[in-house]
Amino acid sequence: MPTSKILDGINRFQDYYLENADLFQQLAEQGQSPEVLFIGCSDSRVPLEVITGAGPGDLFILRNVANIVPPYGTGHMSVGAVLEYALLHLPLRHIVICGHTRCGGIEALDRDPDWVRASHIARWIEHARPAKTKIEAAGLEASARHLATVRENVLLQLEHLRSYDVVREREKAGSLALHGWVYHLETGRIEAYNSGTGAWEAVGTQTEPGR
Ligand SMILES: [Zn+2]
């Protein structure tokens, strides 16, 4: 067992399972039917189910470094398989890409890639580099650049999503909505991109967007 904390967690979960036995039995026997696919960062500080209050069966989830969706045809089977399964076999209505502040994957774009010891990271985060390039060209002051790049990366990955026929066709038909979010580690707030206004707006009852 990795840690006693995890063992304690498993024990608590066994109690939770018994308390919600009907739900778990229903999911086991009737299968899953989530309407939302969440694509988030692997960062341990971004627990998507905790943030959203989701329970078993609510979310189909993909997490990777810097919440990246490689463009169609670039050979990354994992992400494409998730999209195909979610859209061809589940009653999906929404895809949310959720970035976050202080993202190590985005910060790594500021350093020279280590192509020897960390070749997978180096290659992977290149899928986010156009976001950094665009923000650099905007001439923002240094303190604003990270959040701006995190946001821009979310928008970039939404565009990458649309390079998959299965996504683009469903969005065009009006049966699938794409959403871009950023989770702020410092405040717990979530903001969403409003494609109509181009603004990032607070989600939920919070009164102002995260910093
Ligand atoms: Zn991250």
Side-chain angles (χ1 to χ4, degrees), residues 32-115:
Q32 60 173 333
S33 53
E35 295 185 353
V36 182
L37 165 62
F38 250 91
I39 300 175
C41 185
S42 296
D43 194 306
S44 62
R45 300 167 297 178
V46 190
L48 297 174
E49 283 158 317
V50 175
I51 291 170
T52 60
D58 288 340
L59 301 179
F60 204 60
I61 289 181
L62 169 69
R63 292 174 70 175
N64 60 42
V65 172
N67 40 271
I68 282 170
V69 177
Y72 181 85
T74 53
H76 295 281
M77 299 303 158
S78 169
V79 175
V82 166
L83 293 175
E84 289 175 1
Y85 188 82
L87 287 162
L88 299 177
H89 299 285
L90 299 175
L92 212 72
R93 304 282 303 169
H94 303 273
I95 300 178
V96 181
I97 294 185
C98 186
H100 69 101
T101 57
R102 308 197 184 203
C103 181
I106 296 301
E107 289 170 347
L109 292 168
D110 295 331
R111 300 185 289 273
D112 289 336
D114 183 347
W115 286 98

Side-chain angles (χ1 to χ4, degrees), residues 137-209:
L140 296 175
E141 55 184 81
S143 62
R145 253 179 252 151
H146 178 71
L147 174 57
T149 308
V150 166
R151 287 170 168 169
E152 194 63 36
N153 181 53
V154 168
L155 301 184
L156 175 65
Q157 305 312 325
L158 286 173
E159 284 311 304
H160 289 172
L161 266 181
R162 295 185 173 101
S163 69
Y164 292 76
D165 288 349
V166 71
V167 173
R168 196 173 55 251
E169 288 167 1
R170 285 281 303 276
E171 186 185 32
K172 193 175 174 188
S175 61
L176 177 71
L178 306 186
H179 310 269
W181 288 12
V182 170
Y183 170 63
H184 289 248
L185 293 187
E186 306 85 353
T187 60
R189 288 173 171 154
I190 295 172
E191 58 181 12
Y193 183 69
N194 182 330
S195 59
T197 64
W200 288 85
E201 301 170 344
V203 174
T205 56
Q206 55 189 353
T207 55
E208 59 184 82

